[in-house]
Amino acid sequence: MPDVPESIADKVSASQRLTFDEGMWLFESADVHTLGELANRAREKKHGRVAYFNINRHVNYTNYCVLRCRFCSFYRPWSKRGGDGYELSVEDVAGLAREAYDRGATEVHVVGGLHPKLPFSYYAGLCAEIRRRCPRMHVKAFTAVEIIHFTRITRPRMSIREVLVALREAGLGSLPGGGAEVFDDRVHDEAFRGKIGQSEWFEVHRTAHELGIFTNATMLYGHVETAAERMRHLIKLREHQDESLRCRPAWFNCLVPLPFVPEGSKLAHLPGPTGLVSLRTLAVSRLMADNIPHVKAFWIMQGAKLSQVALNWGVDDLDGTVMYYDITKRDGATTHQEMTVDALQRLIREAGCVPVERDTLYRRVIRENGTWRVEEHEPEGAGGRAGGADARGRAAR
Ligand code: V47
């Protein structure tokens, strides 16, 4: 393997932006250890040796979905309801959130399929009921795909802005990054035809950022996309983030590269990414998306062991205690997929990092006398405008 050209290494040391070609070279030709060293350099400039984790619970309110994405093993068609199709009531979801709240969770992450029948009042009701039963819990809910679905089911049709404002009034705190997949028309047609495209995904996130609602961004890699398509995806996120940082009160907090989990999907014949492809993707994500403060390893999909290794390949954040998860189940996992705080901290410490519990907006969580509070000032090493406490203060909680 050729050594990294000095020009790339110098640019990373000087926090200068890498080009498409440089990113491609890193993906395809760099020695994986050297790539990790570069990504770690970029990570340490922002966060030192801190690695964040959070105490949260994911709730997937329904697996009924009007879409038929080929990479997805989660959806069940409404036409074949019964069997293992399900939908949770507002009370069910709020009850699950409350259980987690009682165990110290600061966040509930709520997403589901595009249900053909549930009205918009259900989704606003979810936010309101969670906040009623768990007053300090941050509701991170609904991917851009769901937000567009809500605009389509309302009569008269609500705009993206109206949907977001209504959800925020009901208690929504921020948006997760799902549904981005890979921003490319060819990949869209092959793997998730019928789903919203990149322009709608960006419109939702742009509108959220304009409203002061922080969001995350994902990239689903390791299926039918090429390295160049991944690279363009990262550059599009970076360009969007430039705009949000320049002129909007909120932006992407976190980038979550998600490895394709083939089991049970229509693309199950594909092998999915290997560990080294994942390490490379996480590292290049850190290096190319240089203006997104955090890079998260979602251990449910990455696996706990690779997530630990990735802490030295550009990752600074592990999500989370999770508790239950339905969208993917690796290696025969069941819905109950939980990591304890002790286990998360052990993974982080063994990787040579310092565990810091954060809330959804990356404020440190301090636990004392059986309760918790957040530190209002900027988390260590977050640096610069991205991650700044001022703007976070204006964000929906
Ligand atoms: O949008 C679906 C992906 C996403 C599969 O924002 C799959 O903090 C792999 O977005 N293999 C939902 N991925 C999960 C998600 C997420 C997770 C954790 C944290 C955050 C965050 C966001 O999961 C979907 C889709 O892109 N997905 N099927 C699969 N077979």
Side-chain angles (χ1 to χ4, degrees):
M1 287 276 183
D3 289 336
V4 172
E6 252 172 53
S7 59
I8 298 186
D10 289 348
K11 278 174 109 174
V12 173
S13 295
S15 304
Q16 285 170 5
R17 186 152 278 188
L18 301 179
T19 63
F20 174 88
D21 288 340
E22 288 166 336
M24 285 303 289
W25 189 89
L26 290 170
F27 247 144
E28 293 187 323
S29 307
D31 165 73
V32 73
H33 295 286
T34 317
L35 176 57
E37 201 274 313
L38 286 179
N40 194 46
R41 210 180 291 173
R43 171 218 196 284
E44 288 196 352
K45 275 173 174 268
K46 281 191 163 60
H47 307 291
R49 294 306 297 163
V50 164
Y52 296 95
F53 68 94
N54 67 341
I55 303 187
N56 64 351
R57 171 164 187 159
H58 287 244
V59 180
N60 305 123
Y61 54 86
T62 185
N63 58 358
Y64 288 122
C65 190
V66 299
L67 298 175
R68 303 281 176 273
C69 299
R70 296 181 71 219
F71 63 76
C72 180
S73 54
F74 173 60
Y75 76 83
R76 295 292 177 272
W78 179 250
S79 56
K80 296 188 190 144
R81 60 191 171 279
D84 57 359
Y86 71 87
E87 64 202 32
L88 302 180
S89 68
V90 166
E91 291 68 32
D92 289 338
V93 175
L96 297 172
R98 177 71 209 202
E99 270 175 28
Y101 191 61
D102 287 341
R103 291 175 57 191
T106 58
E107 168 191 284
V108 62
H109 178 144
V110 184
V111 294
L114 306 187
H115 194 289
K117 301 286 178 199
L118 290 171
F120 181 63
S121 56
Y122 169 88
Y123 305 99
L126 278 186
C127 297
E129 188 59 12
I130 294 171
R131 295 284 289 183
R132 192 184 70 77
R133 297 199 55 190
C134 321
R136 299 177 64 214
M137 195 171 216
H138 183 107
V139 182
K140 180 169 124 217
F142 312 130
T143 65
V145 187
E146 288 156 281
I147 299 294
I148 295 289
H149 178 66
F150 304 160
T151 67
R152 293 177 180 160
I153 60 173
T154 45
R155 297 284 178 279
R157 203 169 156 156
M158 288 166 80
S159 65
I160 293 171
R161 183 172 293 265
E162 286 166 340
V163 162
L164 289 173
V165 167
L167 291 174
R168 177 162 67 178
E169 276 168 11
L172 179 79
S174 62
L175 297 186
E181 322 314 1
V182 174
F183 299 133
D184 181 90
D185 292 345
R186 181 195 72 79
V187 180
H188 182 270
D189 278 1
E190 255 187 67
F192 45 98
R193 189 178 301 153
K195 199 170 202 162
I196 62 166
Q198 48 186 303
S199 61
E200 287 161 303
W201 191 93
F202 276 114
E203 200 184 336
V204 170
H205 286 262
R206 185 179 311 111
T207 310
H209 294 173
E210 283 168 2
L211 289 168
I213 298 172
F214 282 84
T215 72
N216 291 341
T218 55
M219 172 170 74
L220 175 67
Y221 66 91
H223 43 97
V224 301
E225 87 293 357
T226 63
E229 286 157 351
R230 252 179 251 166
M231 190 61 59
R232 283 195 282 274
H233 181 95
L234 293 173
I235 290 174
K236 284 175 188 171
L237 288 175
R238 178 169 90 180
E239 286 169 354
H240 178 100
Q241 181 80 335
D242 275 342
E243 281 297 293
S244 288
L245 288 170
R246 195 173 60 75
C247 62
R248 298 177 190 128
W251 45 81
F252 297 127
N253 263 333
C254 169
L255 172 58
V256 199
L258 298 170
F260 169 53
V261 178
E263 284 107 305
S265 77
K266 294 219 165 69
L267 298 178
H269 56 283
L270 298 177
T274 62
L276 285 181
V277 166
S278 287
L279 279 183
R280 284 182 174 281
T281 305
L282 290 161
V284 171
S285 296
R286 163 66 74 193
L287 290 165
M288 293 304 292
D290 54 6
N291 53 3
I292 301 184
H294 301 281
V295 177
K296 176 189 287 189
F298 185 46
W299 64 264
I300 295 275
M301 294 185 193
Q302 295 288 4
K305 293 174 185 175
L306 193 93
S307 300
Q308 181 186 38
V309 174
L311 291 169
N312 282 294
W313 260 261
V315 165
D316 68 288
D317 186 28
L318 299 184
D319 181 343
T321 51
V322 179
M323 299 185 191
Y324 291 83
Y325 201 70
D326 277 312
I327 295 178
T328 55
K329 297 180 186 120
R330 292 175 79 237
D331 308 327
T334 60
T335 297
H336 185 201
Q337 304 189 66
E338 180 163 356
M339 179 96 76
T340 62
V341 171
D342 282 353
L344 281 166
Q345 290 182 335
R346 177 168 166 247
L347 291 177
I348 291 171
R349 286 207 181 92
E350 268 187 5
C353 297
V354 180
V356 170
E357 187 190 339
R358 62 158 179 94
D359 73 352
T360 310
L361 303 174
Y362 289 86
R363 297 170 300 187
R364 277 171 190 249
V365 175
I366 317 285
R367 292 190 183 264
E368 279 164 349
N369 308 322
T371 182
W372 57 271
R373 62 186 168 83
V374 290
E375 253 182 19
E376 277 301 332
H377 64 76
E378 199 166 340
E380 191 182 330
R385 181 153 154 66
D390 281 346
R392 259 203 307 277
R394 272 178 275 147
R397 296 282 152 89

